[in-house]
Amino acid sequence: MTLLDGKTLSQLIQKEIQKETERLKKDGVTVGLAVILVGDDSASHLYVKMKEKACENAGIYSVVHKMPSSISEENILETIALMNKNHNIDGILVQLPLPRHVNQTKIIEAIDPAKDVDGFHPFNVGRLVSGLDGFVPCTPLGVMRLLEYYKIDVKGLNACVVGASNIVGKPMMNLLLNSFATVDICHIHTKDLASHTKKADLLIVGVGKAGLITKEMVKDDAIVIDIGVNHVDGKLIGDVDFGNVSPKCSFITPVPGGVGPMTIAMLLSNTIKAAKSRKQ
Ligand code: GUN
């Protein structure tokens, strides 16, 4: 069994990005990211802090617009419109979830697709589905980079994605399909989840349910990617019962230290991509 070490790979990528921002600075270009953070969800605040820190280390200018949960949809749209026009801003990220009274679709659709470093705008979603270049959501993009780094070719593999969110599962499915895997996608209404997971050469799980995937549900020598984030007894754990599943696997991601750090590295990478394509 080999651990897929996202922490080390993300550090390598962040060093490369740092070099890139230095090169761009010599050409008079400072890469900029704007983050909009609404409300006081503690997990969202923690994620945004991590993104801010990573930007700082990589030499990317970042600005965080913190707004109270009572903010109106109009006010958020106005801030996005300003960021769309701001030449110092290459990427715009609205941290999700948003409060209930705010229409998430309307907010995402207001972001200039050329600055949509989260890859959530329907323009970029459509490009991904069509197999065209665009911005790809950071978590599934990070999974693909991790697989590539470990020279795991997904072509022809039976892949099973558990979780069908717009942020993780659906873009993951499309990336795998674009790389010619055969993809099964499971969700809350899937009957007999194990019958799908047991067939998978590559099992990717991101639903946020600790211990969902047990050893009986995993094929021998499978590659297992755990995107789950669960806080249990003060510890961060994934969706896979790591202790019992890992001995059966050829490769597996740890939690923490697997997919999580890759997500942040891909946000920086998407921001650099936005800066380069805008300044061409
Ligand atoms: N909330 C949970 N994951 C994400 C993410 O990748 N991007 C944004 N904007 N919000 C999130």
Side-chain angles (χ1 to χ4, degrees), residues 107-179:
I107 297 296
I108 289 171
E109 287 187 325
I111 298 170
D112 178 350
K115 295 190 178 188
D116 172 36
V117 288
D118 253 334
F120 295 164
H121 191 291
F123 177 89
N124 284 311
V125 176
R127 292 192 66 89
L128 172 60
V129 172
S130 305
L132 301 170
D133 185 41
F135 290 108
V136 175
C138 303
T139 300
L141 184 60
V143 171
M144 295 308 284
R145 284 291 291 274
L146 195 54
L147 292 170
E148 262 164 44
Y149 183 74
Y150 282 88
K151 303 202 167 21
I152 297 168
D153 183 3
V154 304
K155 192 193 289 174
L157 292 187
N158 288 326
C160 177
V161 178
V162 183
S165 67
N166 289 339
I167 297 179
V168 177
K170 286 185 209 166
M172 190 76 252
M173 170 191 81
N174 284 296
L175 285 167
L176 291 167
L177 184 57
N178 291 349
S179 294

Side-chain angles (χ1 to χ4, degrees), residues 47 51 93-97 118 120 138-139 167 263:
Y47 290 141
K51 290 170 185 179
L93 180 156
V94 179
Q95 188 65 30
L96 302 178
D118 253 334
F120 295 164
C138 303
T139 300
I167 297 179
T263 297

